[in-house]
Amino acid sequence: MRAVQYDQFGSIPTIVDLPAPVPPAHGVVVRVAATGVCRSDWHAWKGHDDSVRLPHVPGHEFAGVVTAVGADVSQVAVGTRVTAPFVFACGTCDECRAGATQVCSRQQQPGFTLPGSYAESLVVPHADVNVIALPDEVGFVEAAALGCRFGTAYHALHARARVRAGEWVAVFGCGGVGLSAVAVAVAAGARVVASDISPAALERAAELGAETVPMDDLAVDRVRALTGGGADVALDAFGSRVTSVASVASLRPRGRHVQVGLLLDDDAAPVIPMGRVIADELELLGSHGISVGEYAAMLDDVVAGRLRPQESIGRIIAFDDLPDAVAAMDRPATTAGMTVAVF
């Protein structure tokens, strides 16, 4: 099969021929129809994740068709249109038994600990736990957007932030996950204000229903003024000291901050004003991916038209363009929204 691979961190990926995968007894092989290009793929490519072993095939957001099934799989059939969350859960640990598959203690991740979806096929282990059958109404491109960024935003706002209709939600960073958060919050009946340094990203956020403020030294003041004293919920959807501190600072008393963007290297330890966290009873929440059990409600919302992940997609590229798309993430984005590659 053809696959995108890099042999050194930061080197330009190339398209190579690799042996076609064979499913383990508990797993399946999925022929990839579409895969997302995510900032987390950039982190892996730059060597920020110590779970990645070289040479490596990136990619963790995908949708496609099952082509082979292991002997012990009972719930998935060849020919089924499927997707999966980017956390492949074991299904048997305490976290999985509690329904929290997104924090499985024995998790594996395509594009990080396993070969990823920048390939014509990949293996999904423990398929009876991890594979999600797609409704006919959901296309491969939209489904590829659900596995990380859109699903992550859905979990962050519903499972972690417990967003309610009428609340103010502030979103800092309007890349793929930030724009997805805007869409999910608006669909939940929340009022949304979004902030980013990119005018194109702010324009897309406005199209999705958000008020917008530029991400500068006055962003927090503008958010607090617009929301009448602070947001009920704020998300750092980018992952930096600046955006995480701004998210916390934008909250009203008893507000909830959700850290979604990865904080790495020099940004790994932002200075959070814990005195204010105590005095205003703020909640600081981490959020990681989406559980398998949340897919049914999310897909119901997509089929009903309440959620439209396609509106968070900025461009669609071909498989052969994936190496350039990875390298392009070293530079400022020129388009707003997610990039999805089709095969």
Side-chain angles (χ1 to χ4, degrees), residues 278-292:
I278 295 167
D280 285 348
E281 292 191 349
L282 304 181
E283 294 184 51
L284 306 181
L285 303 164
S287 189
H288 183 243
I290 180 172
S291 72
V292 171

Side-chain angles (χ1 to χ4, degrees), residues 50-64:
D50 60 10
S51 70
V52 175
R53 298 290 178 265
L54 299 174
H56 185 62
V57 177
H60 60 285
E61 303 172 298
F62 65 94

Side-chain angles (χ1 to χ4, degrees), residues 80-152:
T80 305
R81 301 171 66 254
V82 300
T83 187
F86 72 86
V87 172
F88 291 161
C90 72
T92 58
C93 69
D94 289 345
E95 289 74 24
C96 285
R97 287 198 297 269
T101 57
Q102 78 281 3
V103 290
C104 169
S105 61
R106 292 191 286 268
Q107 66 184 257
Q108 297 173 288
Q109 296 184 16
F112 297 91
T113 65
L114 296 175
S117 56
Y118 288 12
E120 290 178 331
S121 295
L122 85 163
V123 169
V124 181
H126 305 291
D128 285 341
V129 177
N130 295 305
V131 168
I132 308 292
L134 290 174
D136 292 339
E137 298 90 341
V138 179
F140 289 128
V141 171
E142 298 98 306
L146 297 176
C148 179
R149 285 165 284 186
F150 206 91
T152 293

Side-chain angles (χ1 to χ4, degrees), residues 1-5 16 18-19 21 30-35 57-59 62-63 115-123 319 322 343:
M1 69 173 184
R2 300 174 74 218
V4 173
Q5 180 176 275
V16 299
L18 296 176
V30 175
R31 184 179 74 245
V32 179
T35 185
V57 177
F62 65 94
S117 56
Y118 288 12
E120 290 178 331
S121 295
L122 85 163
V123 169
F319 171 82
L322 277 168
F343 289 61

Side-chain angles (χ1 to χ4, degrees), residues 66-77:
V66 175
T67 58
V69 175
D72 295 340
V73 175
S74 61
Q75 305 299 316
V76 186

